[in-house]
Amino acid sequence: MLRLNSQLKATNTPADLITLIENITAACKDIASNLHRGALSDMLGSAGAENIQGETQKKLDVISNDILKEYLIDSGLVRALASEEEDSIVPAQSNAHYLVTFDPLDGSSNIDINSMVGTIFSILEAPQTAEVSEQDFLQPGRNQVAAGYVLYGPSVMLVLTTGDGVDMYTLDQSIGEFILTNGQVSIEKDTKEFAINMSNQRFWADPMQRYIGDLLAGSDGPRAKNFNMRWVAAMVADVHRILCRGGLFSYPWDSREPNKPGKLRLMYEANPMGLLVEQAGGAIYTDKEPVLDIQPEHIHQRVSVILGAANEVAECLKYHQN
Ligand code: AHG
Ligand code: MN
Ligand code: MN
């Protein structure tokens, strides 16, 4: 039985990074216990406010954000943090070495139907500038020193990379510890399963229409095999399925908001998931470039995403090149 702390020590993770990760997971255990109370506490439904993306915040978006913020600031290890639910960066401990970005509750539209949600986080090194600013966060995803998510499902799981493969841990509620349950996971290169919100089909660009059209044509079409489809509407749960049993996931550009490249956020969703997916042998691209190579322009930037099984991502990109 390997606890998170022992596994991180065994893989020579720096002591301060271990402490930071443990602060994040402590916050997530706190979020999990709030989620478990569900309708027993007055925490379901809307908070009656909007975030910077113009999305209605759920009470639990705000509560989860506040919990993470408190643990991160208290850790003393974070120079500043950036969150999907904060308009601007939040400075914390001057001279600290790390920056943290997070989506406190991903898939929060699932809360009111008691379905899966998660917390996604990314850790960067803080440049040693005199005063911390948003500029310090604008580093390509490849610079992440660690990334992961906690999935609040039938069991609570932590999926983590510190740049040396991907490990999965399950929360043992009886002792309050994350235990390593699946080490060094890898994504099969080929797949017969895809995840996309099909209701947006008519808004997609032509290459995506043709690619998904060919998957739907199954064994009678050019791909000559039948594909299955899944959509949890929480990226964290869709990516978790792909890490467990393979598949392709996309949230592509669509014409509803033509000036935005996609729905997902680069710094809070695509980059951390991207590091996990690449570390597990999968691929993550926009419709033209590797997500992890993007030079961010602002912290709330959005991006189109195609990720998962390496050969299937390459297949999808071919449609975009022709
Ligand atoms: P969030 O709840 O943090 O705003 O993120 C939701 C995102 C992502 O997790 C998911 O893949 C996608 O939105 C679902 O979008 P649809 O509502 O279009 O299905
Ligand atoms: Mn999200
Ligand atoms: Mn969110």
Side-chain angles (χ1 to χ4, degrees):
M1 202 174 80
L2 208 47
R3 291 178 301 119
L4 172 63
N5 182 281
S6 317
Q7 169 69 357
L8 290 175
K9 277 185 186 150
T11 51
N12 299 319
T13 311
D16 61 345
L17 185 57
I18 296 180
T19 308
L20 176 54
I21 292 168
E22 287 183 324
N23 270 277
I24 295 173
T25 57
C28 292
K29 289 177 210 168
D30 199 335
I31 294 170
S33 63
N34 280 288
L35 290 167
H36 284 149
R37 298 233 2 114
L40 297 173
S41 60
D42 184 28
M43 287 185 192
L44 303 187
S46 160
E50 280 187 355
N51 65 16
I52 192 151
Q53 311 273 356
E55 299 160 335
T56 305
Q57 289 176 310
K58 299 276 183 189
K59 283 184 199 163
L60 277 162
D61 283 323
V62 177
I63 291 166
S64 305
N65 186 60
D66 290 347
I67 291 173
L68 269 159
K69 216 166 57 174
E70 195 180 318
Y71 277 86
L72 288 171
I73 291 171
D74 283 357
S75 77
L77 294 168
V78 178
R79 187 102 202 273
L81 55 91
S83 161
E84 181 182 286
E85 307 298 347
E86 297 280 341
D87 293 358
S88 333
I89 68 156
V90 179
Q93 181 71 44
S94 54
N95 301 324
H97 289 136
Y98 295 110
L99 302 173
V100 180
T101 76
F102 54 89
D103 177 353
L105 211 51
D106 176 64
S108 56
S109 69
N110 281 350
I111 287 170
D112 295 335
I113 58 164
N114 195 25
S115 189
M116 278 191 280
V117 290
T119 296
I120 307 172
F121 60 89
S122 156
I123 303 175
L124 291 160
E125 251 161 40
Q128 290 310 300
T129 44
E131 198 126 325
V132 71
S133 71
E134 175 170 334
Q135 190 62 36
D136 296 336
F137 283 84
L138 305 182
Q139 308 180 38
R142 256 181 233 299
N143 285 13
Q144 292 169 102
V145 292
Y149 61 80
V150 171
L151 176 67
Y152 310 106
S155 53
V156 176
M157 290 190 75
L158 164 70
V159 179
L160 179 68
T161 182
T162 52
D164 189 19
V166 177
D167 289 334
M168 292 186 173
Y169 301 82
T170 304
L171 180 61
D172 183 337
Q173 309 265 7
S174 64
I175 55 171
E177 294 271 4
F178 280 102
I179 307 296
L180 183 69
T181 43
N182 207 345
Q184 297 294 301
V185 300
S186 70
I187 303 173
E188 292 272 338
K189 301 230 172 301
D190 295 299
T191 184
K192 288 179 169 182
E193 194 162 78
F194 68 97
I196 195 162
N197 185 339
M198 282 298 301
S199 69
N200 299 327
Q201 181 176 24
R202 68 192 185 284
F203 303 117
W204 300 335
D206 193 51
M208 200 43 111
Q209 300 261 6
R210 283 187 287 115
Y211 168 68
I212 296 290
D214 286 353
L215 301 190
L216 294 175
S219 56
D220 300 332
R223 299 301 304 281
K225 60 179 181 181
N226 293 324
F227 280 80
N228 185 36
M229 198 203 84
R230 286 286 184 273
W231 186 250
V232 187
M235 185 195 199
V236 70
D238 281 309
V239 169
H240 188 71
R241 184 188 59 257
I242 288 171
L243 287 167
C244 292
R245 73 172 193 204
L248 175 135
F249 167 96
S250 181
Y251 213 113
W253 173 89
D254 73 48
S255 61
R256 289 172 302 170
E257 290 187 278
N259 299 328
K260 292 186 179 144
K263 178 174 186 186
L264 298 175
R265 274 100 349 172
L266 178 62
M267 313 274 316
Y268 316 121
E269 295 168 323
N271 273 344
M273 292 313 204
L275 194 67
L276 289 168
V277 165
E278 282 201 2
Q279 284 289 320
I284 174 163
Y285 279 75
T286 65
D287 47 23
K288 47 181 173 302
E289 61 187 323
V291 164
L292 296 181
D293 289 340
I294 296 173
Q295 171 59 52
E297 283 167 8
H298 56 91
I299 51 169
H300 296 300
Q301 182 169 340
R302 301 207 199 195
V303 69
S304 66
V305 168
I306 303 162
L307 70 79
N311 290 345
E312 197 54 42
V313 171
E315 199 63 45
C316 179
L317 289 172
K318 278 190 209 160
Y319 288 72
H320 291 83
Q321 281 149 10
N322 297 331

